[in-house]
């Protein structure tokens, strides 16, 4: 492994010319728009629209809950129809739903718009993963790590633009931001139009229509992923309140911790991801992540009661360890996400996996903000122990999944189907 060079790592985020670069560019544009709204929407609906925070929270929760049902059928649609066409259709729907946010003025309208938006978002994620596997082929795991880093760069830029809008704080500024988000979906759509129209992969005659439901190793992996995904909320949800309410660290350090986490993921995601290729390596990586998260959570907990300078140093160390654990978890999850599903049903499997992560998203605010914070240091150590114990299960599930994969049959099926269109012209995103 060559010595670390940040400039080289950033350059390494740009994929080779062709379908990979097109996919990465479309994803970048899409995630930039997501970054514009992810932090600001609750402020928009409370400060500009004038809805009570309780109604905004309820509407978003309803949207997330209903959206959980869309992943599997739409993922299956991507497998049977076309991953490219499905992604394009979801982008059009998201552009329309984003536009409606400008005209919402009551709770019922917000529930309808939020539900449609979340349905399209969850479906788009499942279809996009199916499309990524077709674009990258045997290099899907490594390319997914590359795309993950690109997504963080795009979201960071979008969040920076969002901060400007929040500072201005006028209805016009928010409306322009929403319009720009809607345009980002259309921009991504135009880019994805340059991709080949991948035909559906043939389904083996012995494969059931809803095979994911009978794939017990993958169901077990979905449960593990749903539990481990909770760590994604540590830095941006739990840590800010912990720093402000329970430590003597300056409040401005919250932004520093967030920047450290995001910067390291961008710089090291590809490097760590290249070390995890197989299903079995993925299980080991997740076990390692669980142990690292135990130490990071404990470090955050012990920052309480320390002098300000000592709390800052310990929290920085905890964030560094947490980020290292997050990198290993994401690398391991990519290996299982693309190693366990059969190629002809990647979208269906990713839609089912989204149910597990969606349940985690729904419970995260209650778990972190109500339960763990109220327990204080024991709560943080407890969630760390939880991550470590769940991580210990991953290698066994990975071995189980590896033993039950019809690898030879699946590879033959994947080689039978090739893109219906020629490679993308190098002019795209050169």
């Amino acid at each position: 492994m060559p010595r670390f060079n940040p400039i080289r790592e950033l350059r390494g985020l740009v994929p080779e010319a062709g379908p990979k670069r097109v996919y990465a560019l479309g994803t970048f544009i899409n995630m930039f728009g997501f970054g514009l709204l992810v932090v600001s929407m609750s402020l928009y609906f409370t400060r500009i629209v004038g809805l009570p925070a309780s109604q905004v929270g309820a509407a978003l929760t309803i949207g997330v809950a209903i959206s959980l049902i869309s992943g599997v059928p739409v993922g299956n649609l991507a497998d049977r129809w076309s991953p490219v066409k499905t992604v394009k259709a979801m982008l059009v729907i998201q552009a329309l739903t984003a536009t409606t946010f400008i005209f919402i003025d009551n709770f019922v309208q917000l529930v309808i718009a939020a539900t449609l938006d979340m349905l399209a978002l969850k479906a788009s994620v499942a279809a996009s993963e199916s499309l990524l596997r077709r674009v990258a082929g045997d290099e899907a795991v490594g390319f997914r790590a590359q795309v993950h880093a690109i997504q963080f760069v795009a979201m960071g830029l979008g969040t920076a633009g969002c901060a400007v809008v929040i500072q201005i704080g006028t209805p016009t500024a928010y409306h322009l931001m929403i319009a720009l988000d809607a345009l980002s979906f259309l921009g991504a759509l135009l880019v994805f139009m340059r991709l080949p129209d991948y035909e559906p992969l043939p389904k083996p005659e012995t494969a059931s229509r809803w095979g994911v439901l009978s794939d017990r190793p993958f169901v077990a992996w979905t449960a593990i992923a749903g539990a481990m995904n909770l760590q994604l909320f540590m830095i941006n949800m739990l840590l800010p309140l912990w720093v402000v309410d329970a430590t003597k660290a300056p409040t401005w350090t919250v932004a520093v911790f967030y920047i450290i986490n995001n910067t390291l993921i961008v710089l090291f995601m590809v490097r760590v991801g290249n070390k995890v290729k197989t299903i079995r390596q993925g299980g080991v990586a997740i076990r390692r992540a669980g142990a690292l998260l135990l130490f990071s959570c404990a470090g955050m907990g012990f920052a309480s009661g320390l002098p300000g300078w000592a709390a800052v140093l310990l929290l920085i160390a905890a964030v560094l360890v947490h980020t290292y654990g997050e990198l290993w978890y994401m690398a391991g999850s990519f290996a299982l996400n693309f190693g366990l599903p059969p190629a002809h049903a990647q979208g269906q499997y990713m839609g089912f996996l989204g149910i597990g992560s969606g349940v985690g998203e729904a419970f995260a605010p209650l778990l972190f903000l109500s339960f763990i914070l109220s327990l204080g240091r024991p709560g943080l150590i407890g969630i760390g122990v939880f991550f470590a114990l769940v991580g210990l299960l991953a290698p066994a599930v990975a071995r189980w999944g590896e033993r039950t994969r019809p690898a030879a049959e699946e590879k033959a099926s994947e080689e039978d189907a090739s893109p219906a269109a020629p490679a993308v012209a190098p002019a795209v995103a050169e």
Side-chain angles (χ1 to χ4, degrees):
M1 182 68 67
R3 190 166 60 181
F4 174 73
N5 182 318
I7 302 300
R8 184 176 60 240
E9 299 295 332
L10 290 174
R11 289 176 177 172
L13 296 183
V14 181
E16 62 196 54
K20 286 184 179 179
R21 187 175 295 182
V22 174
Y23 182 94
L25 177 60
T27 300
F28 180 92
I29 296 172
N30 192 4
M31 294 307 295
F32 172 79
F34 181 77
L36 284 173
L37 295 192
V38 66
V39 176
S40 63
M41 287 314 293
S42 59
L43 294 174
Y44 168 71
F45 287 118
T46 55
R47 295 182 179 179
I48 305 301
V49 179
L51 295 175
S54 59
Q55 290 189 7
V56 175
L60 297 180
T61 300
I62 292 171
V64 171
I66 296 177
S67 70
L68 295 181
I69 67 175
S70 70
V72 174
V74 176
N76 190 63
L77 175 66
D79 296 327
R80 303 276 60 85
W81 181 36
S82 164
V84 178
K85 293 176 182 176
T86 306
V87 169
K88 291 176 185 176
M90 294 304 109
L91 287 171
V92 171
I93 294 173
Q94 287 179 282
L96 294 173
T97 55
T99 303
T100 63
F101 290 156
I102 297 175
F103 307 101
I104 289 172
D105 60 10
N106 61 64
F107 174 71
V108 174
Q109 292 176 352
L110 177 57
V111 169
I112 295 173
T115 299
L116 292 175
D117 185 65
M118 291 305 301
L119 281 168
L121 174 61
K122 293 294 184 181
S124 178
V125 170
S128 294
E129 296 293 273
S130 179
L131 176 58
L132 184 148
R133 183 165 181 171
R134 300 301 303 277
V135 167
D138 292 338
E139 300 175 348
V141 176
F143 183 55
R144 184 63 182 85
Q146 191 175 21
V147 169
H148 188 71
I150 292 170
Q151 289 175 321
F152 265 74
V153 174
M155 285 183 60
L157 294 174
T159 303
C162 166
V164 175
V165 171
I166 292 174
Q167 181 63 33
I168 296 173
T170 63
T172 300
Y174 275 99
H175 291 161
L176 287 175
M177 178 185 66
I178 294 172
L180 182 59
D181 176 55
L183 289 175
S184 74
F185 293 117
L186 298 180
L189 173 64
L190 292 176
V191 172
F192 281 130
M193 289 178 69
R194 303 295 302 276
L195 285 173
D197 188 13
Y198 296 96
E199 295 296 328
L201 293 173
K203 183 178 71 172
E205 294 182 2
T206 57
S208 62
R209 180 177 181 183
W210 304 105
V212 66
L213 301 179
S214 59
D215 191 339
R216 289 182 293 176
F218 192 83
V219 172
W221 160 236
T222 297
I224 290 174
M228 291 295 289
N229 274 343
L230 290 171
Q231 57 86 19
L232 300 175
F233 297 90
M234 291 290 297
I235 300 296
N236 60 12
M237 180 181 290
L238 186 143
L239 186 59
L241 290 176
W242 179 251
V243 169
V244 173
D245 296 338
T247 77
K248 297 179 182 179
T251 56
W252 54 266
T253 58
V254 170
V256 174
F257 301 145
Y258 185 80
I259 291 171
I260 290 173
N261 175 258
N262 281 262
T263 301
L264 293 180
I265 288 175
V266 170
L267 293 177
F268 289 98
M269 186 70 254
V270 174
R271 178 173 283 245
V272 174
N274 285 335
K275 298 179 181 179
V276 184
K277 299 295 186 181
T278 67
I279 297 173
R280 188 163 300 200
Q281 289 173 341
V284 173
I286 293 168
R287 180 179 64 192
R288 180 178 300 163
L292 290 167
L293 291 171
L294 169 58
F295 285 106
S296 68
C297 291
M300 294 177 192
F302 281 106
S304 176
L306 295 178
W309 64 270
V312 170
L313 292 178
L314 183 55
L315 287 169
I316 288 176
V319 170
L320 290 173
V321 175
H322 173 93
T323 304
Y324 193 46
E326 183 177 346
L327 287 167
W328 280 109
Y329 168 66
M330 297 310 301
S333 68
F334 298 153
L336 271 72
N337 290 352
F338 290 103
L340 291 177
H344 72 271
Q346 181 72 46
Q348 180 187 134
Y349 272 63
M350 289 301 96
F352 184 80
L353 186 72
I355 296 176
S357 61
V359 171
E361 291 173 14
F363 278 99
L366 178 64
L367 176 65
F368 286 133
L369 305 185
S370 299
F371 184 64
I372 293 178
L373 279 179
S374 65
L375 293 177
R377 182 183 298 168
L380 280 163
I381 296 175
I383 191 66
V385 171
F386 172 77
F387 289 138
L389 292 176
V390 173
L392 288 175
L393 300 174
V397 170
R399 291 193 299 270
W400 183 20
E402 191 176 54
R403 289 194 306 269
T404 56
R405 298 306 96 180
E409 177 183 348
E410 189 56 46
K411 185 170 181 61
S413 296
E414 193 163 4
E415 290 174 350
D416 285 341
S418 57
V424 179
V428 178
E430 285 286 0

